[in-house]
Amino acid sequence: MVIFKRCLLLCVLLSTGFAFAESAPGVTALEVFKSPSCGCCGKWVTHLEESGFTATVQHPSNLNETKAALGIPPNLSSCHTGVSAEGYFFEGHVPASVVAKFLANPPVDAAGLAVPGMPAGSPGMEMGSQFTPYNVMLVKKDGSSEIFASMMSYSDQF
């Protein structure tokens, strides 16, 4: 089943023109899948780039199909998905600092990280001084999840 999912993922990614951009040494590239009309997704990409990542953006015709192929549980879904060269996903408004921490030492059996919904004040969802505390969830390859990091204040994200 794992081999089938990986083959399906490869087919979906190839059909969307998925290709990682070359990055300078020490710079992490993410492939980002989003709707072309989503403003907060674009702001999240800017947040990544301002934090030292490179991002190549794709607009797949069926974003939910891409998420399913990556193994993102529907209850942890958000509006956009970043994927590292190693195949880890970053679903929703995951702070770049948390992405970097994760990639520096990925937990065993990790599939990726997710911030479900669109919490006010998360990267890309800035709304003046509004901030809603939220958890960044670690998603494991078996589909289970647990808290990876808690963002209790705006400054926790950096």
Side-chain angles (χ1 to χ4, degrees):
M1 185 61 143
V2 171
I3 293 172
F4 174 75
K5 278 188 169 183
R6 288 186 181 175
C7 288
L8 178 62
L9 173 62
L10 180 60
C11 290
V12 167
L13 296 178
L14 289 174
S15 71
T16 63
F18 182 82
F20 282 98
E22 289 291 320
S23 294
V27 175
T28 301
L30 293 180
E31 191 77 13
V32 178
F33 300 90
K34 70 177 207 64
S35 165
S37 61
C38 185
C40 70
C41 297
K43 290 179 182 178
W44 183 73
V45 169
T46 300
H47 164 74
L48 288 174
E49 293 172 339
E50 289 174 349
S51 299
F53 289 84
T54 61
T56 302
V57 177
Q58 300 290 331
H59 301 112
S61 59
N62 189 333
L63 191 54
N64 288 330
E65 186 176 277
T66 301
K67 292 172 187 288
L70 289 165
I72 298 168
N75 64 316
L76 298 179
S77 185
S78 187
C79 54
H80 56 264
T81 306
V83 181
S84 71
E86 300 83 10
Y88 296 113
F89 64 76
F90 303 95
E91 176 68 5
H93 295 269
V94 180
S97 63
V98 178
V99 173
K101 176 183 173 186
F102 174 92
L103 289 172
N105 190 21
V108 174
D109 294 328
L113 298 176
V115 172
M118 301 166 74
S122 60
M125 288 297 299
E126 292 85 358
M127 300 175 174
S129 62
Q130 292 182 29
F131 181 80
T132 302
Y134 64 94
N135 292 320
V136 178
M137 303 303 294
L138 169 65
V139 182
K140 297 183 180 181
K141 291 177 183 174
D142 67 3
S144 64
S145 62
E146 62 188 51
I147 296 172
F148 182 78
S150 293
M151 304 294 120
M152 302 309 292
S153 69
Y154 181 80
S155 63
D156 288 344
Q157 302 174 106
F158 305 98

